[in-house]
Amino acid sequence: MLVALFGWLFVHWLSKSREIEAARRNLRASYLMEAYRSIENSIKRNLQNDDKRQLERAAADIELLGNKEQIALVHDLVVFSMENPRKEGEILDRKFKLLDNLRMELRGLFKQDATQLEKRVVLRLENNSANNNQ
């Protein structure tokens, strides 16, 4: 009887541990996906105040929940952007490095192929003022 009780407690503890770890992983993945989207959204756009706030939030989320390499990449991006605001090409390269890292980790978390992209595509659709009136 005592063995059964300890067995049940152990199984219960193990199950709770797995649930807690899964919840942590899901929360982290959710924040990193949102950070990915915010950074991707900032590429090749004239940013409005809300976009800038989302980008700031993405950097903070990565500092909080990212791995060592992601934190180093976001730090490099932030410092370089502040010191060299006119070097858009180099800022873009740093954003892509960070996005690649986030993408590979997120794909790994979801058991997808985590290979790096050889080419990047950023879809940007222009607003046509004639279409806005319809």
Side-chain angles (χ1 to χ4, degrees):
M1 176 86 168
L2 195 57
V3 173
L5 178 63
F6 282 120
W8 179 83
L9 287 173
F10 178 74
V11 169
H12 179 69
W13 172 81
L14 189 60
S15 176
K16 278 292 187 194
S17 295
R18 287 180 182 161
E19 288 174 15
I20 290 169
E21 186 59 33
R24 283 184 186 145
R25 186 175 48 253
N26 289 340
L27 182 63
R28 183 170 181 266
S30 174
Y31 275 87
L32 292 179
M33 280 191 307
E34 188 59 36
Y36 181 96
R37 289 182 184 123
S38 296
I39 295 165
E40 192 278 336
N41 184 54
S42 74
I43 293 174
K44 296 184 180 182
R45 291 192 184 213
N46 293 325
L47 300 180
Q48 304 301 315
N49 285 337
D50 286 344
D51 299 322
K52 292 176 185 177
R53 281 190 207 94
Q54 283 184 330
L55 195 53
E56 292 166 356
R57 190 175 312 124
D61 288 346
I62 292 169
E63 282 190 331
L64 180 63
L65 296 168
N67 63 32
K68 266 185 170 179
E69 187 176 359
Q70 291 160 353
I71 293 168
L73 288 168
V74 80
H75 183 263
D76 179 54
L77 171 62
V78 169
V79 170
F80 186 86
S81 297
M82 290 173 62
E83 292 175 353
N84 305 285
R86 300 210 188 280
K87 294 188 176 180
E88 294 176 18
E90 292 178 54
I91 292 170
L92 184 62
D93 287 343
R94 283 169 166 78
K95 284 182 181 180
F96 277 131
K97 281 182 187 177
L98 180 56
L99 285 176
D100 285 346
N101 187 291
L102 290 169
R103 178 187 170 278
M104 286 177 54
E105 178 164 352
L106 288 166
R107 289 184 63 83
L109 284 173
F110 295 110
K111 309 254 188 259
Q112 300 293 315
D113 180 17
T115 58
Q116 285 188 312
L117 295 175
E118 291 181 29
K119 294 182 179 181
R120 295 180 188 99
V121 176
V122 178
L123 177 63
R124 296 292 178 250
L125 302 174
E126 296 293 322
N127 284 337
N128 186 341
S129 58
N131 291 336
N132 289 340
N133 294 328
Q134 296 177 356

